[in-house]
Amino acid sequence: MICLETQYFNLNRILLLAIGLWPYKQSNFTRLQFILLSTILTTSLIFQCTPFISHKCTSDFIVKILSTASFFALFVIKYNMFSVNIKAVKDLLEQLQLICNELKDKNEFAIINEYGCSARRCTAALTICGICSLFAFFVAQFWSSILDKILSINVSESHHLPIPMEYFIDQEKYSYWILLHFNVSFCIGATAMVGIGATLIAYSQHTCGMFKIASYRIKDAMSNNMLQNINLENKFLIYEGLILAVDIHRQAMKLSELLVYKIEKMLFCLIIIGVVCLSLNLFLIFQIASYGDDIKEILFPFVFVTVCILYMFIANYIAQDLTDHNNDHFATVYDVQWHEAPLHIQKMILFMLQKGAKDFTVGVSGLFVGSLECFATLVKTSVSYFTVIYSTQ
């Protein structure tokens, strides 16, 4: 008996519980927790946009504001995307658990365990990356103070926000509270990005495991031992094996498509804003490096660019992995010794080959098809927009 929550989603559960988004624990306290954290995250984004009201909007100023605000917009969209669809995510995880409960063969348990361990490693790796990003984020804020302490430079202490923000209060007087609000919102957003992303990766990895099990069932049903001794019992076992293979393959495709369907609109927004964020921060890095501005200011856009590229790559790699596993299943059906089977079994195999001839892809709004090629296209588009912005300066 496999328990996904305790065996493979344990770290995901901890991360999502911390921000009130674990689907199985939705109490009144959790809802209050979500409202509080969502308010902190959303108001941080709002206060990053309010300088447009109180300052003169030059092109450089707009780029500087939007480069950070677009990154925090990714946090807000990601956080609310999961909360709005939390019941759907719970239903999908329960369906995945039911499928795992139906596994009987020890080899099938071994396959799902392999992919579950892979999901657990991915979650741990993403968590480490998230911690490193937080560390870099905090170092970037206090870099000047750290250098002054190391070099023993005596300067009058002044409190400056790491990015332009307007709270319409005395920001020098309340600087510690403003910094606290800003840093807490970043921690919430980073935890949401890691926790939600890792959960979707774990879900996809188990779906890939289902594709692998479907291939295993095909091989097992069409093994040489079965085909060399065709009798009534073996025919029944072949039929049963093929039916079970088709069933779990169909469920794997259904679960993949349902997940994307539920969050399709939010994913579309994430892609668009992610490209904008990457373009603006690339421009900011190039501008700082070219014009000899304070090199410390490059740390924030560098962190944002790194996170955007990493997230784009992982999302498209997972979609590519699903497509590859489906193609592997099709190749398995093609490679078995189906020509040695009785005619009626050959017809079933030919039907499966016809079904597999159509590519299975994970797409968003019919415009973006998740793949490594799509990742390259998004990065290329971001660089193109960066070039356009730079050419207008």
Side-chain angles (χ1 to χ4, degrees):
M1 179 71 176
I2 294 176
C3 180
L4 295 178
E5 181 177 351
T6 56
Q7 288 181 250
Y8 307 120
F9 284 81
N10 195 36
L11 183 54
N12 307 77
R13 179 174 60 85
I14 294 171
L15 291 169
L16 293 180
L17 278 174
I19 54 175
L21 291 181
W22 182 240
Y24 293 98
K25 299 289 183 181
Q26 289 298 299
S27 61
N28 290 331
F29 173 77
T30 307
R31 295 187 186 93
L32 181 62
Q33 180 187 12
F34 164 74
I35 293 172
L36 175 63
L37 298 183
S38 180
T39 302
I40 293 173
L41 195 57
T42 305
T43 52
S44 178
L45 175 61
I46 292 171
F47 289 132
Q48 288 176 48
C49 296
T50 48
F52 288 130
I53 301 173
S54 57
H55 292 72
K56 183 179 179 181
C57 294
T58 63
S59 58
D60 289 343
F61 182 76
I62 292 173
V63 169
K64 191 171 184 179
I65 294 294
L66 291 182
S67 62
T68 307
S70 59
F71 188 80
F72 272 77
L74 294 175
F75 284 163
V76 174
I77 293 172
K78 192 82 172 180
Y79 190 73
N80 288 282
M81 174 188 76
F82 207 78
S83 64
V84 169
N85 297 287
I86 199 162
K87 186 178 183 303
V89 173
K90 180 183 178 181
D91 292 339
L92 291 172
L93 289 174
E94 288 177 346
Q95 289 182 46
L96 190 60
Q97 179 65 65
L98 289 174
I99 293 170
C100 290
N101 292 341
E102 295 174 356
L103 302 180
K104 304 295 182 183
D105 193 318
K106 64 178 182 179
N107 293 319
E108 295 177 1
F109 281 114
I111 291 171
I112 209 69
N113 180 65
E114 176 189 349
Y115 283 87
C117 291
S118 174
R120 212 162 42 190
R121 288 192 295 269
C122 289
T123 302
L126 274 181
T127 303
I128 293 171
C129 288
I131 293 172
C132 292
S133 296
L134 286 174
F135 178 76
F137 183 76
F138 293 136
V139 168
Q141 288 184 63
F142 304 109
W143 186 251
S144 297
S145 300
I146 292 171
L147 284 180
D148 293 341
K149 294 289 183 184
I150 294 174
L151 300 175
S152 300
I153 298 175
N154 293 322
V155 293
S156 58
E157 185 178 2
S158 60
H159 306 290
H160 298 287
L161 289 173
I163 59 172
M165 300 176 74
E166 180 58 69
Y167 282 78
F168 302 105
I169 57 175
D170 187 344
Q171 299 194 165
E172 185 70 23
K173 181 179 180 180
Y174 297 99
S175 59
Y176 290 113
W177 291 105
I178 293 172
L179 277 174
L180 178 64
H181 176 241
F182 177 71
N183 286 301
V184 168
S185 65
F186 189 87
C187 289
I188 295 169
T191 305
M193 289 282 276
V194 172
I196 294 170
T199 301
L200 297 179
I201 289 172
Y203 179 88
S204 299
Q205 282 292 292
H206 283 84
T207 308
C208 289
M210 292 166 62
F211 281 118
K212 192 78 171 181
I213 290 171
S215 299
Y216 163 75
R217 288 178 176 178
I218 291 289
K219 289 180 181 179
D220 187 55
M222 299 295 292
S223 64
N224 289 329
N225 293 335
M226 290 290 190
L227 297 176
Q228 289 174 1
N229 184 23
I230 296 295
N231 53 40
L232 186 60
E233 181 181 359
N234 283 351
K235 284 182 180 180
F236 176 78
L237 291 174
I238 292 174
Y239 283 137
E240 183 181 27
L242 293 177
I243 289 170
L244 290 174
V246 169
D247 181 59
I248 197 169
H249 180 259
R250 180 184 58 81
Q251 290 184 80
M253 295 176 67
K254 180 182 176 182
L255 290 179
S256 302
E257 291 169 344
L258 274 176
L259 176 63
V260 175
Y261 174 75
K262 294 295 183 180
I263 60 177
E264 186 176 33
K265 293 179 181 178
M266 293 292 192
L267 283 177
F268 181 79
C269 294
L270 282 174
I271 292 171
I272 299 301
I273 295 179
V275 169
V276 172
C277 180
L278 184 55
S279 301
L280 292 175
N281 281 285
L282 282 173
F283 172 76
L284 205 57
I285 290 173
F286 189 84
Q287 189 179 49
I288 293 170
S290 298
Y291 296 107
D293 294 339
D294 191 350
I295 198 66
K296 296 187 292 293
E297 294 184 5
I298 208 170
L299 290 174
F300 276 111
F302 179 77
V303 171
F304 297 158
V305 166
T306 303
V307 172
C308 283
I309 292 177
L310 181 63
Y311 221 83
M312 283 182 184
F313 174 77
I314 292 174
N316 283 282
Y317 179 82
I318 293 300
Q320 181 71 62
D321 200 26
L322 287 168
T323 300
D324 291 344
H325 274 78
N326 181 70
N327 293 338
D328 290 342
H329 173 74
F330 173 71
T332 300
V333 175
Y334 183 81
D335 289 339
V336 295
Q337 303 297 318
W338 55 270
H339 54 276
E340 297 182 4
L343 183 60
H344 41 280
I345 295 178
Q346 291 185 27
K347 291 180 179 179
M348 291 182 65
I349 297 294
L350 287 173
F351 175 77
M352 295 170 67
L353 289 172
Q354 288 178 344
K355 184 71 175 177
K358 184 179 179 181
D359 288 337
F360 171 73
T361 55
V362 179
V364 177
S365 301
L367 298 175
F368 303 99
V369 177
S371 63
L372 294 178
E373 183 180 355
C374 180
F375 165 71
T377 301
L378 291 176
V379 173
K380 181 180 177 181
T381 303
S382 301
V383 173
S384 299
Y385 289 153
F386 148 66
T387 306
V388 171
I389 296 171
Y390 180 74
S391 65
T392 59
Q393 297 300 303

